[in-house]
């Protein structure tokens, strides 16, 4: 008997490809996409997956901003739970942030500790960011050569003592060091002086917390980052942009040749300050969720191409830290858990605004893949990894925190009606199932 030419053939009347939405058959061999042809061609496969009429085939999403927290704070989150949540949300690749774990990923030795914990627990593919903190400039090249995708730094207090923030001179020194080997700096951009001058009022009123993290803190820090990137020629990326007032700064910097990219997050695109209930600390994040007008302008920034990618900044914590009995925003841990829900959250709002699904997928798959240099990810195209998601864009559900896979069932989306469900996720052509089959990724090799 002649062997089938493909291990798997996926037939879809709707698939989002680099050439737009098409009716296709996708051939998969040895985990790679080996054919993308018009539906009806009749590709043969050892297995055949035919999508239902209400389903769309998507490239697996790439989430380049995930706090897994293992080891050290594994009670907050861990590789097994985070990657299960990712798969349930159509995410087939995550890149883990270097902080909130103990030790932080600020040296090659610490990176190895992280990898040892991840290797047998990953249900999707996992890469790693390194950390740039005071005193570790000499470690950056070694971390780069060890395969991290770039380096995260804070310009203000990170919230954890083991991951210090960079002063202006340290930022420039590290950026200059990165130019020597082509490294990328990703930046939590809030200005410490502005934060110190802002009113600090504890309590259950979200307005007081919002006033403590003013938009000016972001715009001031982004302006300083732009100046440093311009002076050094380094490549820089603004993390979790919440301040739409910074968009003109970003536009001007790019027009001037500054190598700058920008991300925002589902919570900034779907939640607004006007509707955060008193004491609802699940909504707390830094920088904060701002007003509706600001949200509208972030969406315009995406349409205009000033914001490049949408990633979750999944940053969970235990319920006692995230939702203290006091409901005090000053006391609660800052971070939104949304890894499993990111696609549905963004698509629900995009659909309401008339934004096509193709744009959402580009911002959440091809865009992050390009940001970190994952050339085999982010598209349904020959030569790419067969990382795929079967998505029903018209199906609806109500968010039940108890049914989420991340470790602590706390989310500001609890009880929210969302549109779009992921019915199946494939990693290199195989269903993500009950056994971890993800691999650890290195910069330049995936």
């Amino acid at each position: 008997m002649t062997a089938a030419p493909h291990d798997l053939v996926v037939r879809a009347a709707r698939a989002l490809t680099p050439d737009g939405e098409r009716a296709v058959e996708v051939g998969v061999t040895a985990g790679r996409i080996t054919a993308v042809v018009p539906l009806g061609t009749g590709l043969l496969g050892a297995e055949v997956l035919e999508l239902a009429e209400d389903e769309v085939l998507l490239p697996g999403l790439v989430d380049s901003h995930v706090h897994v927290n293992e080891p050290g704070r594994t009670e907050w989150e861990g590789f097994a739970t985070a990657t299960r949540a990712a798969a349930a949300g159509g995410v087939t690749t995550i890149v883990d942030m270097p902080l909130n774990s103990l030790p932080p990923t600020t040296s090659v030795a610490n990176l190895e500790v992280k990898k040892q914990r991840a290797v047998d627990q990953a249900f999707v593919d996992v890469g790693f960011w390194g950390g740039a903190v005071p005193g570790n400039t000499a470690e950056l090249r070694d971390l780069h050569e060890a395969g991290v995708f770039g380096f995260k730094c804070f310009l203000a207090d990170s919230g954890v003592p083991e991951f210090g923030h960079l002063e202006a001179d340290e930022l420039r020194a590290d950026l200059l060091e990165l130019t020597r080997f082509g490294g990328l700096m990703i930046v939590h951009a809030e200005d410490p002086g502005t934060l110190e001058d802002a009113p600090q009022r504890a309590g259950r009123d979200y307005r007081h917390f919002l006033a403590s993290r003013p938009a000016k803190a972001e715009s001031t820090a982004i302006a300083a980052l732009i100046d440093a990137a311009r002076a050094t020629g380094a490549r820089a990326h603004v993390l979790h942009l919440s301040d739409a007032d910074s968009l003109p700064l970003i536009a001007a910097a790019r027009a001037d040749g500054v190598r700058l990219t920008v991300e925002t997050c589902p919570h900034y695109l779907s939640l607004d300050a006007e509707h955060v209930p008193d004491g609802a600390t699940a909504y707390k994040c830094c920088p904060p969720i701002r007003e509706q007008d600001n949200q509208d302008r972030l969406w315009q920034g995406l349409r205009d191409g000033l914001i490049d990618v949408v990633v979750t900044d999944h940053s969970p914590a235990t319920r006692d830290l995230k939702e203290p009995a006091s409901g005090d925003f000053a006391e609660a841990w800052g971070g939104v858990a949304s890894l499993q829900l990111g696609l549905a959250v963004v698509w629900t709002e995009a659909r309401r605004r008339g934004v096509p699904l193709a744009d959402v997928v580009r911002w959440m798959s091809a865009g992050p893949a390009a940001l970190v240099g994952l050339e085999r990810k982010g598209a349904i195209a020959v030569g790419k990894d067969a990382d795929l998601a079967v998505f029903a864009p018209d199906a609806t559900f109500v968010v039940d925190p108890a049914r989420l896979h991340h470790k602590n069932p706390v989310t500001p989306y609890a009880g929210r009606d969302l549109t779009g469900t992921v019915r199946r996720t494939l990693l290199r052509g195989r269903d993500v199932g009950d056994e971890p089959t993800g691999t650890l990724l290195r910069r330049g090799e995936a």
Side-chain angles (χ1 to χ4, degrees), residues 422-438:
V422 175
R423 292 182 174 162
R424 197 164 180 172
T425 301
L426 292 82
L427 184 69
R428 287 182 295 280
R430 294 185 177 274
D431 284 290
V432 177
D434 294 330
E435 296 297 327
T437 59

Side-chain angles (χ1 to χ4, degrees), residues 58-344:
L58 310 182
L61 305 188
V62 177
D63 195 334
S64 57
H65 196 148
V66 177
H67 293 268
V68 174
N69 305 330
E70 184 175 4
R73 293 188 175 97
T74 311
E75 68 276 15
W76 295 14
E77 189 64 282
F79 283 103
T81 49
T83 56
R84 276 185 179 274
V91 177
T92 51
T93 301
I94 66 169
V95 187
D96 175 50
M97 283 291 164
L99 74 157
N100 298 346
S101 57
L102 292 167
T105 315
T106 52
S107 69
V108 173
N110 292 358
L111 172 64
E112 290 303 315
V113 172
K114 182 79 69 97
K115 290 167 65 176
Q116 288 167 15
R117 295 297 289 266
V119 65
D120 294 324
Q121 298 192 73
F123 286 82
V124 300
D125 287 353
V126 177
F128 301 93
W129 295 107
V133 297
N136 85 324
T137 304
E139 301 276 1
L140 302 183
R141 182 185 288 271
D142 289 343
L143 277 164
H144 180 79
E145 292 177 354
V148 301
F149 287 89
F151 303 91
K152 180 174 186 176
C153 74
F154 279 74
L155 303 187
D157 182 11
S158 72
V160 291
E162 68 276 0
F163 202 96
H165 72 277
L166 299 183
E167 301 291 348
D169 59 339
E170 294 170 319
L171 173 65
R172 290 207 178 202
D174 282 358
L175 286 174
L176 187 60
E177 174 68 8
L178 298 194
T179 64
R180 298 187 174 107
F181 52 82
L184 168 65
M185 185 71 84
I186 63 174
V187 182
H188 181 122
E190 288 184 285
D191 176 63
T194 304
L195 295 178
E196 288 171 8
D197 293 340
Q200 302 295 321
R201 293 178 60 184
R204 296 169 54 84
D205 191 329
Y206 183 74
R207 293 173 300 174
H208 296 159
F209 171 65
L210 185 60
S212 75
R213 314 291 296 208
K216 184 181 176 184
E218 277 190 89
S219 59
T220 300
I222 289 171
L225 173 63
I226 288 169
D227 287 345
R230 179 184 289 111
T232 59
R235 183 178 167 217
H237 177 73
V238 176
L239 294 166
H240 44 48
L241 180 73
S242 80
D243 169 38
D245 289 344
S246 296
L247 291 171
L249 292 173
I250 292 162
R254 288 181 170 178
D256 197 31
V258 177
R259 301 167 67 198
L260 188 71
T261 50
V262 182
E263 69 182 45
T264 194
C265 305
H267 40 283
Y268 302 131
L269 297 172
S270 63
L271 306 175
D272 61 80
E274 290 91 339
H275 292 93
V276 177
D278 288 349
T281 52
Y283 289 78
K284 180 181 176 180
C285 55
C286 299
I289 295 162
R290 303 194 188 278
E291 297 84 357
Q292 180 66 62
D293 172 71
N294 182 85
Q295 181 189 112
D296 294 340
R297 289 183 290 134
L298 289 177
W299 276 99
Q300 190 60 51
L302 280 164
R303 292 187 183 98
D304 293 341
L306 293 175
I307 302 173
D308 303 274
V309 299
V310 178
V311 289
T312 62
D313 188 11
H314 177 73
S315 185
T318 55
R319 185 182 290 277
D320 61 321
L321 291 174
K322 185 63 191 164
E323 293 187 322
S326 65
D328 188 336
F329 280 94
E331 183 182 346
W333 176 259
V336 173
S338 61
L339 182 55
Q340 185 170 335
L341 299 171
L343 175 59

